[in-house]
Amino acid sequence: MARKVMHAVWYTGYGGGAAGLKHVEIPIPSPCKDEILMKVEAASINPIDWKIHNGFARPVLPKKFPFIPLSDVAGEVVKVGPGVKKFKAGDKIVSTLGGPSAGGGLAEYVVAKESLTVPRPREVSAADGACLGIAACAALHSLTVTGGLKLDKTKPRTNVLITAASGGVGHYAVQLAKLGNTHVTATCGARNIHFVKSLGADEVLDYRTPEGAALKSPSGQKYDIVVNCTTGIPWSTFKPNLSPTGKVIDITPSGGTFWNCAVQKLTFSKKQVTPLLVNPSAQEIGFLVKLVKEGKLKTVIDSRYPFSQAEAAWAKSIEGHATGKVVVEL
Ligand SMILES: NC(=O)c1ccc[n+]([C@@H]2O[C@H](COP(=O)([O-])OP(=O)(O)OC[C@H]3O[C@@H](n4cnc5c(N)ncnc54)[C@H](OP(=O)(O)O)[C@@H]3O)[C@@H](O)[C@H]2O)c1
């Protein structure tokens, strides 16, 4: 490869929002034994990316400054390390670089582990593929691993509630839940009710209404599984809406979530809340890529930004009003 340097966007300290991002020119990284050098075509933003920048996991994350954010990427293989068996230069791929703590994706080139990379069929665009890491894996893991939902129609019906169903995680969760034998209730803002219904939700509540805030199913369902993708809903609101063995999977856990979870375990409560932090795996991403290829799952992109406007994409995600995913394209 003739080029030695690349454009990247990094931040050098905590805070500062979009203004804290800086465009720089730095050396192109080299892949080690089991690594792939990827030319990035698209990277998606997850709220955890800017939460780390805000100091949410200070001083543990990021591991060091300067830090290039974004971990969910799709692109093309440029070069592989000597131990890489499954990929060669020119292959189209999707990779999660090792969860949000890894970073590196907001750059023209990034090194990805072979073990966290999957092939990208031509039916899956770079932008669509780049969104499938943290967001879609959180939806899949919540429903199937923690929630125990089977994504086929052979099991008894499960009542599912998905909060913030219009967001990056929620819009995948609604579609994935509907692959099972489910009745899906969803919450979102009024402007997205039709959108969330179009994803397959059976009933949708506006979260700004009293009924929506109370999470009450209009048809009187009691929820077996809740995937909570928003913040600020107390256990006392979830509890009366759960079936006798209903479970809340909280992907935005607070101290109260951990406390309630511990108390419920000690008291053998059948209704439970489970905090969940997902680390995407290649197996899960591969499964999701296959669903997209087969037309069973779609990525909805709120907005696409060129690399030169990465700060605007960052600001858009921070606003918290995306419908679907925010993507940076290179
Ligand atoms: N634990 C994990 O492994 C994990 C993984 C991924 C994400 N997360 C976390 O999960 C949360 C959601 O992530 P995301 O990517 O889906 O965020 P997002 O895309 O930024 O979510 C934005 C959407 O949420 C809606 N919304 C906001 N507050 C709401 C409420 N109270 N009720 C219903 N809808 C509401 C907004 O609608 P309006 O515009 O109408 O307000 C908007 O459409 C974030 O806190 C993120 O950090 C955790």
Side-chain angles (χ1 to χ4, degrees):
M1 206 175 123
R3 281 183 68 185
K4 296 271 182 283
V5 293
M6 65 175 187
H7 293 105
V9 171
W10 71 25
Y11 55 82
T12 54
Y14 291 114
L21 300 181
K22 301 284 172 241
H23 286 257
V24 290
E25 264 199 336
I26 55 172
I28 293 174
S30 294
C32 295
K33 191 174 170 221
D34 60 346
E35 290 177 342
I36 294 163
L37 179 66
M38 176 198 301
K39 181 161 186 359
V40 180
E41 294 173 8
S44 75
I45 301 182
N46 291 287
I48 190 68
D49 296 313
W50 47 261
K51 287 180 188 177
I52 290 174
H53 184 206
N54 282 351
F56 154 84
R58 185 196 301 240
V60 181
L61 298 177
K63 285 177 196 144
K64 61 180 172 55
F65 292 115
F67 183 72
I68 301 174
L70 305 195
S71 304
D72 288 342
V73 289
E76 184 175 309
V77 177
V78 176
K79 196 170 148 186
V80 297
V84 171
K85 301 273 183 290
K86 293 189 227 142
F87 301 97
K88 60 179 186 327
D91 287 350
K92 298 287 187 185
I93 51 174
V94 175
S95 190
T96 180
L97 302 171
S101 59
L106 198 46
E108 286 183 283
Y109 296 88
V110 70
V111 153
K113 290 221 176 314
E114 180 182 28
S115 59
L116 291 174
T117 301
V118 300
R120 176 164 57 89
R122 62 186 156 70
E123 296 86 348
V124 182
S125 72
D128 288 353
C131 296
L132 292 175
I134 292 166
C137 285
L140 179 67
H141 202 96
S142 300
L143 289 165
T144 60
V145 180
T146 314
L149 183 72
K150 300 281 178 242
L151 301 191
D152 61 48
K153 306 278 184 193
T154 60
K155 304 291 174 211
R157 193 177 90 162
T158 303
N159 289 328
V160 179
L161 169 69
I162 293 154
T163 64
S166 51
V169 179
H171 89 287
Y172 285 127
V174 171
Q175 296 176 74
L176 290 169
K178 287 308 295 179
L179 296 178
N181 182 15
T182 54
H183 180 280
V184 173
T185 307
T187 72
C188 65
R191 70 193 170 92
N192 278 318
I193 287 177
H194 289 297
F195 164 67
V196 172
K197 279 202 174 141
S198 77
L199 298 173
D202 297 286
E203 53 189 17
V204 184
L205 291 161
D206 173 359
Y207 75 89
R208 292 187 180 92
T209 62
E211 302 75 32
L215 306 176
K216 284 246 166 304
S217 157
S219 61
Q221 315 296 325
K222 294 290 179 188
Y223 311 121
D224 302 302
I225 300 173
V226 178
V227 180
N228 182 34
C229 305
T230 189
T231 52
I233 304 177
W235 172 248
S236 57
T237 301
F238 287 119
K239 193 176 172 190
N241 291 300
L242 296 177
S243 68
T245 56
K247 186 184 255 190
V248 178
I249 297 135
D250 192 351
I251 68 162
T252 64
S254 62
T257 312
F258 289 95
W259 171 256
N260 284 322
C261 176
V263 170
Q264 288 155 9
K265 283 208 160 73
L266 287 171
T267 57
F268 302 101
S269 169
K270 290 202 163 69
K271 296 184 181 182
Q272 289 182 1
V273 60
T274 303
L276 182 68
L277 295 173
V278 169
N279 233 346
S281 70
Q283 191 198 1
E284 285 170 326
I285 296 175
F287 176 71
L288 293 160
V289 165
K290 185 165 166 282
L291 290 181
V292 175
K293 180 186 167 186
E294 292 168 352
K296 293 177 180 161
L297 179 72
K298 66 179 175 189
T299 294
V300 175
I301 297 179
D302 173 275
S303 39
R304 301 164 188 263
Y305 295 83
F307 183 66
S308 58
Q309 290 172 27
E311 301 86 341
W314 198 252
K316 174 69 199 182
S317 180
I318 291 172
E319 279 172 19
H321 295 297
T323 298
K325 295 289 297 173
V326 178
V327 174
V328 178
E329 291 178 308
L330 290 96

